[in-house]
Amino acid sequence: MWFLKICAMIIGILMIKYRERMGDLIGDAEWMKYVGGVYNLVIIVGIFFFFWALASLTGTERIFFFPFYMLFGGAFQ
């Protein structure tokens, strides 16, 4: 299982590095303009992948995602 988490970290890094290629592959949509365009969306998703995998690898998901747990009322238990 740790192998998949490390692969997710690598995918997050690659998403940030090759954001232009991924953005061109995905294409631009109207709703993406609210987050700064397709390239910024790819960066945000890449950062989220990286930190989610890191938190999962170290067992600190509950601490890292505490604001989301509070926002959704403990729906992830």
Side-chain angles (χ1 to χ4, degrees):
M1 196 63 153
W2 59 269
F3 178 73
L4 293 176
K5 296 171 187 175
I6 292 175
C7 287
M9 289 176 66
I10 294 170
I11 288 172
I13 292 169
L14 291 176
M15 285 178 76
I16 295 169
K17 183 174 181 176
Y18 297 110
R19 64 183 170 267
E20 187 175 351
R21 292 183 191 172
M22 289 192 67
D24 292 340
L25 181 69
I26 294 170
D28 201 15
E30 186 69 30
W31 62 271
M32 291 180 190
K33 293 179 182 176
Y34 296 111
V35 293
V38 67
Y39 303 124
N40 283 344
L41 180 70
V42 172
I43 291 171
I44 291 169
V45 171
I47 290 170
F48 182 75
F49 263 44
F50 180 81
F51 282 116
W52 188 3
L54 184 66
S56 179
L57 191 62
T58 59
T60 57
E61 293 170 312
R62 188 83 171 165
I63 296 167
F64 185 71
F65 293 112
F66 181 73
F68 295 111
Y69 288 125
M70 293 304 294
L71 182 65
F72 295 115
F76 295 112
Q77 293 179 357

